[in-house]
Amino acid sequence: MGIIKSGKVVVVLAGRYAGRKAVVAKTFESNSDRRFGHALIVGIDRYPRKVTRSMSTAKIQKRSKMKPFVKYVNYNHIMPTRYMVDINVKDIATEAAMDSEAAREELKKEIKKRFEDRYTNLGSGKSEKKTMGAKYFFQKLRF
């Protein structure tokens, strides 16, 4: 798929995580397991809560927690957005990490750490375009 590339923010359209935003980690045209184009996506199941300036740092840290998910999804069930993010999930989200349940749990812990680090450092970014993408990615989709 030409539009869906690694680092692209997508919205999941079907299934348990419908309405959630995710980042594409890796794309596949087809293989022996799945005979259709699909992508390995990493997204947010539980979004961070609203933070104000008057809150203490401990409260800000507590409200900034989020719950990630990792999933293989058919291209038909995701909608690409115009945003890209600079969160590097391509190197840790691999097929080997998706094989066993224990490896998948470790993968989720690492992704949670990377998401929370990027969320707390939302202002700093390599480019303004990627910073806008990260800001969009961490906001809950309202519909």
Side-chain angles (χ1 to χ4, degrees):
M1 196 82 173
I3 297 170
I4 300 175
K5 293 180 180 149
S6 180
K8 177 72 92 171
V9 178
V10 295
V11 177
V12 181
L13 300 175
R16 178 180 178 178
Y17 302 109
R20 303 288 199 283
K21 293 177 191 167
V23 178
V24 176
K26 194 169 181 184
T27 58
F28 306 91
E29 287 309 313
S30 66
N31 59 19
S32 60
D33 296 344
R34 297 170 177 87
R35 297 181 191 274
F36 49 84
H38 58 283
L40 175 61
I41 61 171
V42 177
I44 302 176
D45 188 16
R46 189 182 317 120
Y47 286 89
R49 297 170 70 192
K50 187 178 177 183
V51 173
T52 61
R53 192 177 299 193
S54 63
M55 292 180 185
S56 66
T57 54
K59 190 165 189 173
I60 289 172
Q61 287 297 321
K62 190 172 182 180
R63 293 177 74 94
S64 297
K65 296 208 181 299
M66 55 191 84
K67 182 180 176 185
F69 69 88
V70 182
K71 189 176 171 82
Y72 285 109
V73 180
N74 188 331
Y75 286 147
N76 295 333
H77 303 304
I78 54 177
M79 181 178 70
T81 64
R82 63 182 181 169
Y83 297 103
M84 297 279 289
V85 291
D86 53 358
I87 304 168
N88 191 8
V89 293
K90 190 174 186 176
D91 59 339
I92 56 168
T94 60
E95 294 101 285
M98 293 292 288
D99 288 343
S100 68
E101 192 62 37
R104 194 181 282 211
E105 290 300 318
E106 288 299 316
L107 175 63
K108 284 182 189 175
K109 286 178 186 174
E110 179 64 29
I111 288 167
K112 179 178 178 169
K113 194 185 321 176
R114 289 192 186 194
F115 279 177
E116 288 175 359
D117 286 345
R118 183 64 181 103
Y119 182 69
T120 54
N121 302 323
L122 208 54
S124 63
K126 294 177 181 79
S127 69
E128 190 176 324
K129 193 174 185 179
K130 300 258 173 123
T131 305
M132 290 296 294
K135 192 174 179 182
Y136 171 76
F137 177 64
F138 290 116
Q139 288 179 344
K140 191 173 183 178
L141 189 66
R142 298 287 178 191
F143 59 94

